[in-house]
Amino acid sequence: MAITPNNEQAASQQSTLSTLKGLLPFLHPYRKQFALAGIALLVAAMATLTIPYAFRQMIDLGFSKIGNGSNGIQNVNLTFLALFAVAVVLGIATAARFYMVSWLGERVTADIRNAVYSHVINQSPEFFETTQTGEVLSRLTTDTTLIQTVVGTSISLALRNFLLFLGGLIMLFVTSPMLSSIIIVMLALVVLPIVFFGRRVRKLSRDSQDRIADASAVAGEILNAMPTVQAFTHEKIEADRFSSSVENAFTTAMRRIRARSLLTMVAILLIFGAIVFVLWLGAHAVVNGEMSGGKLGQFILYASIVAGAIGALSEVLGDAQRAAGATERLLELMSVQSPITEPNNASTLPPTRGHGAKVQIRDLQFFYPSRPQTPALNKINLDIEEGETIALVGSSGAGKTTLFQLLLRFYDPQSGSIAIDGVNIRDLRLHELRSTIGIVPQDTVIFSANAMENIRYGRHDASDEEVMHAAKMAAAHDFIQHLPEGYQSFLGERGVRLSGGQKQRIAIARALLKNPRLMLLDEATSALDAESERLVQQALETAMQGRTTFIIAHRLSTVKRADRILVLDHGEIVEVGNHQSLVALDGVYAKLAKLQFHIHEQ
């Protein structure tokens, strides 16, 4: 299942708040930390709201009576001492709030990244066929960073400014109900354009994140194929393609920035316009003796707090819009469910007797999701005995690798079944099933680690001696010993420091270290020279003793050693037998053999 953007209309209807609710499962474990941050936030807000009242006292009881002697000066001194005490409380509470919310932002972001990554790596190959790696990486990095901003900063700022807005509003009414009523009506009219522009910012935020992900996908694809790009001299073409993708992301980001700038401008102009008008009325009230100077000063400060809170909330709203877009994208990724599911009541395989696994395949039919009209495998029936070696031959696209993928349960067939030692593989836990199977793929994967760890990937708890023994069996020990640091030599990203044959011998050693019941060899010797092939063939013959083996191979030297040869054509088994009987049959296999012999004669 591909991860694709939601329908735009549905996205616009869903509120930012309801989208951000998707983060609650990640926030829930840290209720205690949120409570502590909330207490610090509440104390800081109360300290801030105390300041205007102190200024009123200073003006009305201090400055206005300063001519009365020591009482006025004493009031000023006490007021300033009180202000300093408030500043101390405000500083401590603000520092505590900053520490707690920053910790929460980092912690929750780490949890989200872990959850998303764990979810992605458990998806079936079908997911990775339709999803670019760069897209997933963008969601893991850029999107989670936006969420970190919201959790670690914006939520705190939103709550702080909401408390200041609410507390300031209450104090405005306490100070002057008439002026406060006027300002509330005017502020209510301001909310409508802010909400309108906020929705547009949210949509553009989502679009901006999608374009960034597109650029990451392009970069990831090309960086993983640099030898091919350079061999075909496509450096400029690919640089231009990436540049186009980046410019597209920039254009989309600028639309978001313009909309957010307009939102900020509208909010500030309308809010401060309303406040200035109300203060003009208050100034007239002081002139007419209807209000004291201190009271007006208090009203101005509370009005400034309310206005500043609303302005800050509009800024936070912009961050929240971007985070909502990022949250949508991450929740989309988390909502993707693999079609390969674990059984509720799992069976277990019987204990191994050291002779490999018995495999039964019945009426197996499979269509790839991308090609639902063409069967990749059609009505396959097989009985493989313990310890038997089966060779699969046929032209490309005949269904050989597909059978391997079904044995590993990377896909489930549309009909039919596969059983190992009498147990349907759908009834096994995926870990148990795949633990019993070793595979040497055609395209060898080498990790960015040393030779020892690359082989130990076959069994993470293997000792160094077991790793070296597997390497010797795969004819890899000698060339590893000649590396600069032996088994501790770093092999480079994707094994760039190794030849194709060396990579495959590492992969063979990895599979042998696993010591599986069932071995799957997909062109395991295709990249080896004649000498290495001879060594690996000897090692594989030793390794295949006591286990069932499937071999996909085009080289007849490999095929001839099999107990049975299955010839596949267009997803069906068309011939079964050994080398001699199939050559005598003069069918598909005989044609393949004649072609290879002819090539060798050349």
Side-chain angles (χ1 to χ4, degrees):
M1 175 182 175
I3 47 174
T4 54
N6 288 340
N7 180 272
E8 290 184 3
Q9 183 178 0
S12 64
Q13 290 175 348
Q14 189 179 15
S15 71
T16 299
L17 186 60
S18 62
T19 301
L20 292 176
K21 283 181 180 177
L23 298 176
L24 288 178
F26 298 100
L27 306 178
H28 190 262
Y30 307 111
R31 299 184 301 277
K32 179 181 177 181
Q33 287 83 354
F34 272 106
L36 292 174
I39 292 171
L41 180 66
L42 189 61
V43 171
M46 291 175 64
T48 303
L49 291 170
T50 304
I51 293 173
Y53 180 76
F55 270 92
R56 175 187 173 182
Q57 296 296 103
M58 182 175 63
I59 293 170
D60 285 348
L61 301 180
F63 293 157
S64 62
K65 299 181 180 180
I66 200 162
N68 296 332
S70 60
N71 286 338
I73 294 174
Q74 186 178 3
N75 288 334
V76 170
N77 292 339
L78 290 173
T79 301
F80 274 97
L81 283 173
L83 274 175
F84 180 74
V86 170
V88 170
V89 173
L90 180 61
I92 295 173
T94 301
R97 174 189 62 83
F98 174 78
Y99 176 83
M100 290 307 304
V101 298
S102 297
W103 184 92
L104 285 165
E106 296 289 346
R107 181 67 265 164
V108 170
T109 302
D111 291 349
I112 291 173
R113 283 178 177 150
N114 286 332
V116 172
Y117 187 75
S118 298
H119 183 74
V120 167
I121 63 173
N122 282 291
Q123 296 303 306
S124 70
E126 180 183 342
F127 172 85
F128 298 99
E129 285 180 4
T130 54
T131 305
Q132 292 178 300
T133 304
E135 168 81 3
V136 176
L137 291 176
S138 173
R139 300 192 183 201
L140 274 173
T141 53
T142 308
D143 290 354
T144 50
T145 300
L146 287 174
I147 291 174
Q148 179 182 350
T149 300
V150 169
V151 176
T153 304
S154 298
I155 289 179
S156 170
L157 288 177
L159 290 174
R160 174 180 177 273
N161 285 287
F162 176 75
L163 288 174
L164 291 178
F165 170 77
L166 191 61
L169 202 59
I170 293 172
M171 292 307 297
L172 282 176
F173 274 97
V174 170
T175 307
S176 175
M178 182 192 70
L179 294 180
S180 300
S181 300
I182 296 172
I183 203 170
I184 288 301
V185 172
M186 298 188 72
L187 289 177
L189 297 176
V190 169
V191 170
L192 295 176
I194 291 176
V195 171
F196 172 78
F197 282 113
R199 288 181 177 177
R200 176 166 174 76
V201 168
R202 179 165 178 253
K203 179 185 176 301
L204 290 173
S205 297
R206 170 60 191 259
D207 292 343
S208 179
Q209 293 307 111
D210 287 339
R211 298 296 76 76
I212 292 171
D214 291 343
S216 297
V218 170
E221 180 183 18
I222 298 308
L223 290 175
N224 285 326
M226 282 311 299
T228 303
V229 172
Q230 293 175 351
F232 285 90
T233 65
H234 271 220
E235 294 93 336
K236 187 176 186 310
I237 293 173
E238 296 301 344
D240 290 342
R241 187 157 75 98
F242 180 72
S243 177
S244 176
S245 183
V246 169
E247 286 301 317
N248 192 12
F250 172 76
T251 302
T252 307
M254 288 310 299
R255 286 202 299 269
R256 170 182 57 79
I257 290 169
R258 281 194 295 270
R260 185 171 176 182
S261 299
L262 188 59
L263 172 63
T264 303
M265 182 188 73
V266 168
I268 291 174
L269 287 179
L270 293 179
I271 291 169
F272 276 90
I275 290 172
V276 167
F277 174 73
V278 172
L279 292 181
W280 176 76
L281 294 178
H284 277 268
V286 173
V287 171
N288 295 330
E290 299 170 2
M291 179 185 289
S292 70
K295 207 170 188 182
L296 178 60
Q298 177 179 313
F299 188 87
I300 290 173
L301 288 175
Y302 280 125
S304 298
I305 288 174
V306 170
I310 294 175
L313 285 171
S314 69
E315 284 289 320
V316 170
L317 179 62
D319 289 335
Q321 300 286 2
R322 295 186 69 196
T327 302
E328 277 183 337
R329 288 158 47 82
L330 285 168
L331 292 180
E332 279 176 11
L333 198 54
M334 292 291 287
S335 68
V336 175
Q337 296 299 320
S338 174
I340 308 301
T341 57
E342 296 272 11
N344 292 325
N345 298 307
S347 302
T348 57
L349 288 170
T352 179
R353 292 174 292 178
H355 303 296
K358 187 174 183 178
V359 181
Q360 302 91 27
I361 299 176
R362 294 288 179 267
D363 298 321
L364 195 66
Q365 189 172 46
F366 174 69
F367 299 81
Y368 280 104
S370 57
R371 303 190 298 274
Q373 305 303 321
T374 306
L377 290 174
N378 190 30
K379 301 299 180 183
I380 302 294
N381 285 280
L382 277 175
D383 283 291
I384 295 97
E385 298 301 322
E386 295 177 0
E388 191 174 7
T389 299
I390 302 296
L392 304 175
V393 300
S395 59
S396 296
K400 306 182 295 296
T401 301
T402 300
L403 183 58
F404 279 18
Q405 291 178 321
L406 294 181
L407 284 166
L408 286 159
R409 259 201 98 194
F410 288 161
Y411 297 92
D412 279 335
Q414 278 75 23
S415 62
S417 64
I418 301 174
I420 295 178
D421 289 336
V423 181
N424 191 317
I425 62 172
R426 289 195 185 206
D427 296 331
L428 293 171
R429 295 284 183 195
L430 290 174
H431 179 78
E432 181 175 7
L433 168 65
R434 293 168 184 170
S435 294
T436 65
I437 301 174
I439 183 167
V440 180
Q442 185 174 5
D443 297 322
T444 302
V445 174
I446 301 295
F447 297 98
S448 296
N450 60 37
M452 182 72 75
E453 294 308 314
N454 262 285
I455 296 174
R456 189 178 274 125
Y457 204 82
R459 183 160 57 86
H460 68 88
D461 59 348
S463 66
D464 291 354
E465 291 73 20
E466 289 173 315
V467 170
M468 285 186 256
H469 179 65
K472 290 174 182 176
M473 292 177 66
H477 179 74
D478 289 342
F479 85 77
I480 292 175
Q481 287 285 63
H482 286 89
L483 293 174
E485 297 177 48
Y487 279 86
Q488 299 304 316
S489 297
F490 179 68
L491 302 183
E493 188 174 4
R494 294 177 288 114
V496 294
R497 297 183 180 181
L498 301 179
S499 68
Q502 290 172 334
K503 289 180 186 179
Q504 278 195 305
R505 279 180 276 172
I506 292 285
I508 292 169
R510 187 186 293 162
L512 293 175
L513 181 65
K514 194 175 184 181
N515 192 26
R517 298 189 192 189
L518 181 62
M519 183 78 83
L520 308 180
L521 308 176
D522 189 352
E523 297 285 1
T525 60
S526 64
L528 305 181
D529 55 52
E531 177 63 20
S532 295
E533 182 183 7
R534 182 183 65 80
L535 294 171
V536 172
Q537 284 289 2
Q538 292 174 354
L540 289 177
E541 286 175 12
T542 302
M544 287 187 291
Q545 293 179 7
R547 58 172 59 90
T548 306
T549 308
F550 282 86
I551 303 173
I552 295 176
H554 291 122
R555 294 190 181 186
L556 293 180
S557 58
T558 303
V559 173
K560 285 179 180 179
R561 294 179 173 85
D563 297 315
R564 273 190 292 168
I565 301 169
L566 308 180
V567 183
L568 281 82
D569 188 36
H570 294 94
E572 297 183 352
I573 297 176
V574 294
E575 295 173 7
V576 180
N578 58 31
H579 174 72
Q580 290 78 12
S581 65
L582 291 177
V583 169
L585 190 62
D586 197 26
V588 176
Y589 180 83
K591 292 178 182 177
L592 293 172
K594 287 175 184 176
L595 177 63
Q596 190 167 135
F597 283 140
H598 175 69
I599 292 173
H600 288 171
E601 288 169 3
Q602 297 293 324

